[in-house]
Every structure is written in structure tokens, then in C-alpha cells.
Amino acid sequence: MSVSENLKKLKDSIPSHVTLIAVSKTHPVEAISEAYNSGHKIFGENKVQEMADKCEQLPKDIEWHLIGHLQTNKVKYIAPFVHLIHSVDSLKLLQEINKQAAKNNRVINCLLQIYIAKEETKFGLSFEEAEQLINLTELKKPQNVKIVGLMGMATNTDNAEQIRNEFRSLKLFFNKLKIQNSELKILSMGMSSDYKIAIEEGSNMIRLGSIIFGERNY
Ligand SMILES: *Cc1c(COP(=O)(O)O)cnc(C)c1O
């Protein structure tokens, strides 16, 4: 099936409160154009340079989401246009985003990336660290950055119960934070292999790549 057919099928099946990010990393601008021409305008990339290059070549009304690890020294390249950064995992990074957003006269929306997987390699904050970061920003109130939710990735496993438990723990944490912080609205969890479980467990933003664009050959 084509990219636009894949998208249509997905959109017909996911609930309307769930935002679909089409993860276009490693795929050429032609594939993004096909999705765009079929009406989809929200795309996710995990590398700064790739996202900036694609942004330049494609229509300006695309919403670009950075979903991969972000180094402080690269924030400046995406600050002029990025719509949402899913991968904030330190105060230092948040401060740099605030600084670069100010230079561009904007407010950049961010998610805190939370570590929920039982794997050594994934980036992210623990629940405690995330809570501390949110408390700090409530005290200091940076003007050009806003934490609007959380992002998490489940363990890459066939064990559906484990994936479900990991998503569930993040949703519970999200609910708890929301009591104090009304700006938290987005819970970004779910990829091609686990998005159905993620939606059942309360996700309202899913990041799908291979199920739309096909397998990636790195
Ligand atoms: C690549 C990636 C995705 C999409 O993965 P698929 O398995 O292709 O759907 C989602 N989230 C993040 C953070 C990614 O890096």
C-alpha cells in the first residue's frame, strides 16, 4: 500500500482525540510530500540536521516535531520553526531551548521524556527527576518555553503485558502531575508496534513511522 493509503487507514481507525505524528526519519522529502498532499501536516524527525533540511524544502505549514535526543548545541538550528520537542531530559536543555526561543521571539512547547523501559539505552528522566524539573520551572517560570506534557517509549519486546504496564505507569504519573499543573495536556506514547496498547492506556499522541512509510533501511 502507498503512504497515503496507509495514512488513510490509520486515520479511520484511531480515535479523534489522538494526534498522529508521521515519523518520516530516513525517508526522502518525496515520501513526505505524498503524505502532505493527501492532507497530513504533522511530521516527526529524530535528527536536527535532517529535520532542518527537510523543513527548508517543504511547505511552511508543516508542523515539525523533534522526537529524538537533542543536544544543547543544536537547539539553535530548530528553534526558528520546531512545533513541539518531545525529548527534553534536562534542565540545561530546557534553559537552552528557552534562550533560543527568546532569540526567535517565540514560545516553544516541550514534552519531558520519561524513562519507562527496562532497557539501558533509552534517554529520559525518572519520575522523581521529572517532578523536580517541573517544580523548578514553576518557581522560575521561563518565558519562552512551556512544558505541555510527557513522552515515553516502552521496552522493545513482544511481551504485551510488560508494554501495557509501562504505558500505564506513565499515564498514572501524568494524571498525578496534571492535578497541580493544568498546562500538561499531551501524553506522547506509542509507536508502530505498540500504538494500540498505548491508546488503550491513555495516549493522546502517537508517533508512527514504519507502519506509514515502510521499513527503514539504515
Ligand atoms: C523512530 C521513532 C518512532 C517511530 O518508530 P516506528 O517503529 O517506525 O513507528 C517513534 N518514536 C521515536 C522516539 C522514534 O525514534
Side-chain angles (χ1 to χ4, degrees):
M1 287 216 299
S2 69
V3 167
S4 52
E5 285 167 336
N6 293 339
L7 268 170
K8 178 164 192 318
K9 198 168 149 212
L10 278 165
K11 287 186 174 178
D12 287 344
S13 74
I14 63 174
S16 60
H17 71 277
V18 176
T19 302
L20 170 61
I21 316 287
V23 176
S24 47
K25 63 188 187 195
T26 77
H27 296 286
V29 290
E30 289 74 22
I32 302 176
S33 289
E34 183 186 343
Y36 179 86
N37 290 333
S38 78
H40 193 79
K41 302 200 169 166
I42 312 175
F43 295 91
E45 291 281 338
N46 68 338
K47 296 212 171 92
V48 164
Q49 190 60 52
E50 187 174 343
M51 185 163 94
D53 288 347
K54 286 172 172 173
C55 172
E56 232 181 80
Q57 298 175 59
L58 286 155
K60 291 301 159 238
D61 62 340
I62 286 179
E63 263 185 31
W64 291 101
H65 291 237
L66 189 84
I67 60 170
H69 184 64
L70 178 57
Q71 287 172 283
T72 337
N73 61 350
K74 295 195 173 160
V75 175
K76 54 178 178 282
Y77 301 115
I78 57 167
F81 69 89
V82 67
H83 183 82
L84 180 66
I85 298 173
H86 290 231
S87 48
V88 172
D89 60 359
S90 73
L91 179 61
K92 188 169 147 245
L93 178 58
L94 199 67
Q95 286 168 333
E96 178 64 15
I97 296 168
N98 187 52
K99 182 174 142 196
Q100 297 298 335
K103 280 193 188 172
N104 287 280
N105 258 315
R106 335 177 35 211
V107 175
I108 298 182
N109 287 338
C110 295
L111 308 180
L112 297 183
Q113 182 172 352
I114 312 294
Y115 182 91
I116 52 172
K118 307 258 173 321
E119 284 168 358
E120 286 298 318
T121 57
K122 299 259 159 90
F123 294 100
L125 300 160
S126 67
F127 290 156
E128 292 75 18
E129 289 167 334
E131 215 159 351
Q132 281 170 8
L133 194 50
I134 286 185
N135 290 339
L136 264 177
T137 57
E138 276 168 5
L139 284 173
K140 290 230 171 172
K141 294 222 179 296
Q143 296 293 302
N144 295 82
V145 78
K146 202 159 111 186
I147 298 172
V148 295
L150 306 177
M151 184 270 254
M153 274 187 276
T155 303
N156 184 6
T157 172
D158 293 334
N159 185 339
E161 265 333 280
Q162 183 182 347
I163 293 170
R164 186 176 295 283
N165 286 332
E166 290 172 1
F167 285 147
R168 188 168 291 176
S169 73
L170 185 54
K171 169 67 163 142
L172 286 172
F173 180 60
F174 180 66
N175 287 350
K176 179 180 148 199
L177 290 181
K178 273 208 307 191
I179 298 171
Q180 308 252 16
N181 188 323
S182 59
E183 294 194 328
L184 296 177
K185 297 199 164 74
I186 299 177
L187 184 56
S188 167
M189 53 184 202
M191 309 175 30
S192 293
S193 58
D194 56 20
Y195 75 94
K196 288 181 183 156
I197 303 176
I199 292 172
E200 285 166 10
E201 295 304 327
S203 169
N204 59 20
M205 186 171 277
I206 55 177
R207 310 176 310 272
L208 306 187
S210 44
I211 200 172
I212 297 169
F213 294 104
E215 292 302 321
R216 289 178 295 273
N217 21 356
Y218 289 102

